[in-house]
Short mmCIF file of all heavy atoms in Angstrom, two decimals:
data_model
loop_
_atom_site.label_atom_id
_atom_site.label_comp_id
_atom_site.label_asym_id
_atom_site.label_seq_id
_atom_site.Cartn_x
_atom_site.Cartn_y
_atom_site.Cartn_z
N ASN A 560 15.18 2.59 -0.46
CA ASN A 560 16.05 2.35 0.70
C ASN A 560 15.20 2.00 1.93
O ASN A 560 14.01 2.27 1.96
CB ASN A 560 16.90 3.60 1.00
CG ASN A 560 17.80 3.95 -0.13
OD1 ASN A 560 18.26 3.11 -0.89
ND2 ASN A 560 18.08 5.25 -0.26
N ASN A 561 15.86 1.41 2.89
CA ASN A 561 15.22 1.23 4.23
C ASN A 561 15.02 2.59 4.84
O ASN A 561 15.66 3.59 4.48
CB ASN A 561 16.07 0.33 5.09
CG ASN A 561 16.19 -1.07 4.57
OD1 ASN A 561 15.28 -1.57 3.89
ND2 ASN A 561 17.28 -1.73 4.87
N LEU A 562 14.17 2.63 5.86
CA LEU A 562 13.88 3.89 6.53
C LEU A 562 15.09 4.39 7.34
O LEU A 562 15.99 3.63 7.67
CB LEU A 562 12.70 3.72 7.48
CG LEU A 562 11.35 3.34 6.80
CD1 LEU A 562 10.20 3.33 7.85
CD2 LEU A 562 11.00 4.24 5.64
N ASN A 563 15.06 5.68 7.60
CA ASN A 563 16.21 6.38 8.30
C ASN A 563 16.33 5.84 9.67
O ASN A 563 15.42 5.90 10.50
CB ASN A 563 15.88 7.88 8.31
CG ASN A 563 17.05 8.70 8.73
OD1 ASN A 563 17.79 8.31 9.62
ND2 ASN A 563 17.20 9.88 8.14
N THR A 564 17.55 5.32 9.98
CA THR A 564 17.78 4.67 11.28
C THR A 564 17.88 5.69 12.40
O THR A 564 18.00 5.29 13.59
CB THR A 564 19.08 3.86 11.22
OG1 THR A 564 20.15 4.65 10.79
CG2 THR A 564 18.91 2.62 10.31
N GLN A 565 17.80 6.97 12.08
CA GLN A 565 17.75 7.97 13.17
C GLN A 565 16.48 7.81 13.97
O GLN A 565 16.39 8.14 15.14
CB GLN A 565 17.84 9.39 12.58
CG GLN A 565 17.85 10.49 13.68
CD GLN A 565 18.05 11.86 13.06
OE1 GLN A 565 18.45 12.00 11.88
NE2 GLN A 565 17.80 12.90 13.85
N TRP A 566 15.43 7.29 13.29
CA TRP A 566 14.10 7.19 13.96
C TRP A 566 13.53 5.75 13.89
O TRP A 566 12.59 5.44 14.59
CB TRP A 566 13.11 8.15 13.34
CG TRP A 566 13.51 9.58 13.55
CD1 TRP A 566 13.44 10.26 14.70
CD2 TRP A 566 14.00 10.49 12.56
NE1 TRP A 566 13.88 11.56 14.56
CE2 TRP A 566 14.21 11.71 13.22
CE3 TRP A 566 14.26 10.40 11.20
CZ2 TRP A 566 14.69 12.87 12.56
CZ3 TRP A 566 14.74 11.50 10.53
CH2 TRP A 566 14.95 12.71 11.17
N PHE A 567 14.03 4.91 12.98
CA PHE A 567 13.45 3.61 12.77
C PHE A 567 14.48 2.51 12.94
O PHE A 567 15.65 2.75 12.66
CB PHE A 567 12.82 3.52 11.38
CG PHE A 567 11.81 4.59 11.06
CD1 PHE A 567 12.21 5.77 10.41
CD2 PHE A 567 10.51 4.44 11.48
CE1 PHE A 567 11.26 6.75 10.15
CE2 PHE A 567 9.56 5.40 11.20
CZ PHE A 567 9.91 6.57 10.54
N PRO A 568 14.07 1.30 13.37
CA PRO A 568 15.02 0.21 13.51
C PRO A 568 15.69 -0.12 12.18
O PRO A 568 15.03 0.03 11.12
CB PRO A 568 14.14 -0.94 14.04
CG PRO A 568 12.97 -0.30 14.66
CD PRO A 568 12.70 0.95 13.84
N GLY A 569 16.89 -0.59 12.22
CA GLY A 569 17.59 -0.97 10.98
C GLY A 569 16.80 -2.00 10.19
O GLY A 569 16.25 -2.92 10.79
N GLY A 570 16.79 -1.84 8.89
CA GLY A 570 16.10 -2.79 8.06
C GLY A 570 14.61 -2.55 7.90
O GLY A 570 13.95 -3.36 7.21
N THR A 571 14.07 -1.48 8.50
CA THR A 571 12.62 -1.20 8.38
C THR A 571 12.29 -0.68 6.98
O THR A 571 12.92 0.27 6.49
CB THR A 571 12.20 -0.17 9.42
OG1 THR A 571 12.56 -0.59 10.74
CG2 THR A 571 10.70 0.08 9.35
N ARG A 572 11.34 -1.32 6.34
CA ARG A 572 10.91 -0.92 5.01
C ARG A 572 9.81 0.11 5.06
O ARG A 572 9.02 0.14 6.06
CB ARG A 572 10.41 -2.16 4.24
CG ARG A 572 11.46 -3.21 4.01
CD ARG A 572 12.59 -2.69 3.15
NE ARG A 572 12.13 -2.39 1.78
CZ ARG A 572 12.84 -1.62 0.94
NH1 ARG A 572 13.97 -1.04 1.35
NH2 ARG A 572 12.40 -1.41 -0.27
N PRO A 573 9.73 1.00 4.09
CA PRO A 573 8.62 1.99 4.06
C PRO A 573 7.27 1.28 3.95
O PRO A 573 7.12 0.26 3.27
CB PRO A 573 8.93 2.83 2.80
CG PRO A 573 9.90 2.02 1.99
CD PRO A 573 10.63 1.14 2.94
N PHE A 574 6.27 1.80 4.64
CA PHE A 574 4.92 1.30 4.59
C PHE A 574 4.27 1.89 3.31
O PHE A 574 4.28 3.08 3.06
CB PHE A 574 4.11 1.77 5.83
CG PHE A 574 2.71 1.30 5.84
CD1 PHE A 574 2.40 0.00 6.11
CD2 PHE A 574 1.66 2.20 5.56
CE1 PHE A 574 1.07 -0.42 6.14
CE2 PHE A 574 0.31 1.78 5.61
CZ PHE A 574 0.05 0.45 5.90
N ILE A 575 3.71 0.97 2.52
CA ILE A 575 3.14 1.35 1.19
C ILE A 575 1.65 1.06 1.19
O ILE A 575 1.23 -0.04 1.57
CB ILE A 575 3.82 0.54 0.07
CG1 ILE A 575 5.36 0.77 0.08
CG2 ILE A 575 3.21 0.94 -1.30
CD1 ILE A 575 5.79 2.21 -0.21
N PHE A 576 0.88 2.01 0.73
CA PHE A 576 -0.53 1.70 0.41
C PHE A 576 -0.88 2.38 -0.89
O PHE A 576 -0.43 3.48 -1.21
CB PHE A 576 -1.52 2.00 1.53
CG PHE A 576 -1.61 3.44 1.95
CD1 PHE A 576 -2.71 4.19 1.64
CD2 PHE A 576 -0.62 4.02 2.77
CE1 PHE A 576 -2.82 5.54 2.06
CE2 PHE A 576 -0.72 5.32 3.23
CZ PHE A 576 -1.82 6.08 2.87
N GLN A 577 -1.64 1.68 -1.71
CA GLN A 577 -1.91 2.02 -3.10
C GLN A 577 -3.37 2.37 -3.30
O GLN A 577 -4.26 1.66 -2.84
CB GLN A 577 -1.51 0.87 -4.01
CG GLN A 577 -0.10 0.40 -3.87
CD GLN A 577 0.09 -1.05 -4.26
OE1 GLN A 577 0.42 -1.33 -5.42
NE2 GLN A 577 -0.23 -2.00 -3.38
N GLU A 578 -3.57 3.52 -3.98
CA GLU A 578 -4.97 3.95 -4.28
C GLU A 578 -5.43 3.14 -5.49
O GLU A 578 -4.99 3.39 -6.63
CB GLU A 578 -5.02 5.43 -4.58
CG GLU A 578 -6.48 5.89 -4.83
CD GLU A 578 -6.58 7.15 -5.64
OE1 GLU A 578 -5.60 7.53 -6.36
OE2 GLU A 578 -7.68 7.75 -5.59
N VAL A 579 -6.32 2.17 -5.27
CA VAL A 579 -6.94 1.40 -6.34
C VAL A 579 -8.46 1.40 -6.10
O VAL A 579 -8.94 0.83 -5.14
CB VAL A 579 -6.43 -0.05 -6.38
CG1 VAL A 579 -7.08 -0.81 -7.52
CG2 VAL A 579 -4.92 -0.07 -6.54
N ILE A 580 -9.17 2.08 -6.97
CA ILE A 580 -10.63 2.08 -6.84
C ILE A 580 -11.19 0.87 -7.54
O ILE A 580 -11.13 0.81 -8.76
CB ILE A 580 -11.25 3.40 -7.43
CG1 ILE A 580 -10.73 4.60 -6.68
CG2 ILE A 580 -12.77 3.36 -7.34
CD1 ILE A 580 -11.19 5.93 -7.26
N ASP A 581 -11.64 -0.07 -6.78
CA ASP A 581 -12.22 -1.34 -7.34
C ASP A 581 -13.55 -1.62 -6.66
O ASP A 581 -13.58 -2.21 -5.58
CB ASP A 581 -11.21 -2.50 -7.11
CG ASP A 581 -11.78 -3.84 -7.58
OD1 ASP A 581 -12.80 -3.83 -8.27
OD2 ASP A 581 -11.21 -4.86 -7.21
N LEU A 582 -14.60 -1.18 -7.33
CA LEU A 582 -15.97 -1.46 -6.80
C LEU A 582 -16.58 -2.67 -7.49
O LEU A 582 -17.72 -2.99 -7.26
CB LEU A 582 -16.82 -0.25 -7.03
CG LEU A 582 -16.42 1.07 -6.32
CD1 LEU A 582 -17.40 2.19 -6.64
CD2 LEU A 582 -16.28 0.87 -4.82
N GLY A 583 -15.76 -3.39 -8.28
CA GLY A 583 -16.27 -4.53 -9.04
C GLY A 583 -16.75 -4.07 -10.39
O GLY A 583 -17.11 -2.89 -10.61
N GLY A 584 -16.74 -4.97 -11.35
CA GLY A 584 -17.27 -4.67 -12.67
C GLY A 584 -16.32 -4.08 -13.68
O GLY A 584 -16.70 -3.72 -14.78
N GLU A 585 -15.06 -3.87 -13.25
CA GLU A 585 -14.06 -3.33 -14.16
C GLU A 585 -12.98 -4.38 -14.46
O GLU A 585 -12.91 -5.42 -13.77
CB GLU A 585 -13.42 -2.06 -13.60
CG GLU A 585 -14.32 -0.86 -13.55
CD GLU A 585 -13.62 0.38 -13.06
OE1 GLU A 585 -12.39 0.37 -12.97
OE2 GLU A 585 -14.32 1.37 -12.78
N ALA A 586 -12.17 -4.11 -15.45
CA ALA A 586 -11.14 -5.08 -15.86
C ALA A 586 -10.00 -5.19 -14.87
O ALA A 586 -9.32 -6.22 -14.80
CB ALA A 586 -10.63 -4.69 -17.21
N ILE A 587 -9.75 -4.16 -14.10
CA ILE A 587 -8.62 -4.12 -13.19
C ILE A 587 -9.12 -4.44 -11.77
O ILE A 587 -10.04 -3.84 -11.26
CB ILE A 587 -7.91 -2.79 -13.24
CG1 ILE A 587 -7.23 -2.65 -14.59
CG2 ILE A 587 -6.87 -2.65 -12.09
CD1 ILE A 587 -6.55 -1.29 -14.83
N SER A 588 -8.41 -5.37 -11.08
CA SER A 588 -8.81 -5.76 -9.75
C SER A 588 -7.77 -5.33 -8.71
O SER A 588 -6.56 -5.29 -9.02
CB SER A 588 -8.90 -7.30 -9.69
OG SER A 588 -9.02 -7.75 -8.36
N ALA A 589 -8.22 -4.96 -7.55
CA ALA A 589 -7.34 -4.56 -6.49
C ALA A 589 -6.33 -5.68 -6.14
O ALA A 589 -5.19 -5.40 -5.75
CB ALA A 589 -8.13 -4.17 -5.25
N SER A 590 -6.72 -6.94 -6.36
CA SER A 590 -5.87 -8.07 -5.98
C SER A 590 -4.56 -8.06 -6.77
O SER A 590 -3.59 -8.64 -6.32
CB SER A 590 -6.60 -9.36 -6.16
OG SER A 590 -6.98 -9.57 -7.54
N GLU A 591 -4.54 -7.43 -7.91
CA GLU A 591 -3.31 -7.39 -8.72
C GLU A 591 -2.24 -6.61 -8.02
O GLU A 591 -1.02 -6.75 -8.39
CB GLU A 591 -3.61 -6.76 -10.11
CG GLU A 591 -4.61 -7.47 -10.95
CD GLU A 591 -4.96 -6.74 -12.24
OE1 GLU A 591 -4.00 -6.31 -12.92
OE2 GLU A 591 -6.16 -6.55 -12.50
N TYR A 592 -2.57 -5.82 -7.04
CA TYR A 592 -1.59 -4.94 -6.35
C TYR A 592 -1.19 -5.41 -4.97
O TYR A 592 -0.39 -4.77 -4.32
CB TYR A 592 -2.20 -3.53 -6.26
CG TYR A 592 -2.42 -2.89 -7.62
CD1 TYR A 592 -3.53 -3.20 -8.37
CD2 TYR A 592 -1.46 -2.06 -8.17
CE1 TYR A 592 -3.75 -2.61 -9.64
CE2 TYR A 592 -1.64 -1.51 -9.47
CZ TYR A 592 -2.76 -1.80 -10.16
OH TYR A 592 -2.94 -1.26 -11.43
N TYR A 593 -1.72 -6.58 -4.52
CA TYR A 593 -1.41 -7.03 -3.16
C TYR A 593 0.05 -7.22 -2.96
O TYR A 593 0.56 -7.00 -1.84
CB TYR A 593 -2.12 -8.37 -2.94
CG TYR A 593 -3.62 -8.32 -2.80
CD1 TYR A 593 -4.37 -9.51 -2.84
CD2 TYR A 593 -4.31 -7.12 -2.67
CE1 TYR A 593 -5.76 -9.50 -2.72
CE2 TYR A 593 -5.70 -7.09 -2.58
CZ TYR A 593 -6.42 -8.28 -2.60
OH TYR A 593 -7.76 -8.28 -2.48
N GLY A 594 0.82 -7.62 -3.97
CA GLY A 594 2.23 -7.89 -3.79
C GLY A 594 3.07 -6.68 -3.50
O GLY A 594 4.21 -6.81 -3.03
N ASN A 595 2.49 -5.49 -3.75
CA ASN A 595 3.25 -4.24 -3.55
C ASN A 595 3.03 -3.58 -2.21
O ASN A 595 3.79 -2.70 -1.81
CB ASN A 595 2.89 -3.24 -4.63
CG ASN A 595 3.36 -3.69 -6.00
OD1 ASN A 595 4.40 -4.37 -6.14
ND2 ASN A 595 2.63 -3.32 -7.03
N GLY A 596 1.97 -3.97 -1.50
CA GLY A 596 1.64 -3.34 -0.21
C GLY A 596 0.14 -3.33 0.01
O GLY A 596 -0.61 -4.02 -0.67
N ARG A 597 -0.29 -2.58 1.00
CA ARG A 597 -1.73 -2.43 1.24
C ARG A 597 -2.44 -1.75 0.08
O ARG A 597 -1.80 -1.05 -0.70
CB ARG A 597 -1.93 -1.63 2.54
CG ARG A 597 -1.46 -2.30 3.81
CD ARG A 597 -2.58 -3.06 4.46
NE ARG A 597 -2.11 -3.81 5.64
CZ ARG A 597 -2.89 -4.42 6.49
NH1 ARG A 597 -4.22 -4.39 6.32
NH2 ARG A 597 -2.40 -5.08 7.50
N VAL A 598 -3.73 -1.98 0.04
CA VAL A 598 -4.54 -1.44 -1.04
C VAL A 598 -5.79 -0.79 -0.44
O VAL A 598 -6.37 -1.31 0.52
CB VAL A 598 -4.95 -2.51 -2.06
CG1 VAL A 598 -5.77 -1.92 -3.22
CG2 VAL A 598 -3.72 -3.24 -2.61
N THR A 599 -6.21 0.36 -0.98
CA THR A 599 -7.39 1.01 -0.49
C THR A 599 -8.64 0.22 -0.80
O THR A 599 -8.84 -0.21 -1.94
CB THR A 599 -7.49 2.42 -1.11
OG1 THR A 599 -7.39 2.28 -2.55
CG2 THR A 599 -6.40 3.36 -0.61
N GLU A 600 -9.49 0.01 0.20
CA GLU A 600 -10.74 -0.73 -0.01
C GLU A 600 -11.87 0.30 -0.05
O GLU A 600 -12.41 0.71 0.98
CB GLU A 600 -10.95 -1.73 1.14
CG GLU A 600 -12.27 -2.47 1.04
CD GLU A 600 -12.53 -3.17 -0.29
OE1 GLU A 600 -13.03 -2.46 -1.21
OE2 GLU A 600 -12.22 -4.35 -0.46
N PHE A 601 -12.20 0.77 -1.26
CA PHE A 601 -13.21 1.81 -1.44
C PHE A 601 -14.61 1.35 -1.13
O PHE A 601 -15.49 2.16 -0.88
CB PHE A 601 -13.09 2.42 -2.84
CG PHE A 601 -12.06 3.50 -2.95
CD1 PHE A 601 -10.73 3.19 -3.23
CD2 PHE A 601 -12.41 4.84 -2.77
CE1 PHE A 601 -9.78 4.18 -3.35
CE2 PHE A 601 -11.45 5.83 -2.86
CZ PHE A 601 -10.13 5.51 -3.13
N LYS A 602 -14.88 0.01 -1.22
CA LYS A 602 -16.22 -0.45 -0.95
C LYS A 602 -16.54 -0.23 0.52
O LYS A 602 -17.74 -0.15 0.90
CB LYS A 602 -16.32 -1.97 -1.29
CG LYS A 602 -16.21 -2.22 -2.78
CD LYS A 602 -16.56 -3.68 -3.07
CE LYS A 602 -15.54 -4.68 -2.66
NZ LYS A 602 -14.30 -4.62 -3.48
N TYR A 603 -15.56 -0.14 1.39
CA TYR A 603 -15.75 -0.04 2.83
C TYR A 603 -16.62 1.20 3.18
O TYR A 603 -17.65 1.08 3.79
CB TYR A 603 -14.39 0.05 3.51
CG TYR A 603 -14.41 -0.05 5.01
CD1 TYR A 603 -14.06 -1.28 5.66
CD2 TYR A 603 -14.77 0.99 5.84
CE1 TYR A 603 -14.05 -1.37 7.03
CE2 TYR A 603 -14.79 0.91 7.22
CZ TYR A 603 -14.39 -0.30 7.83
OH TYR A 603 -14.42 -0.42 9.19
#
């Protein structure tokens, strides 16, 4: 659902960030998850 309008503007979507450990060299890439929200950048 959209966020509770008691505190947020109507139509506000939940902020999503996904824990994906991608230091390179593995079969799974962080880029596969971009469409769902922010992604943790563990190299940082």
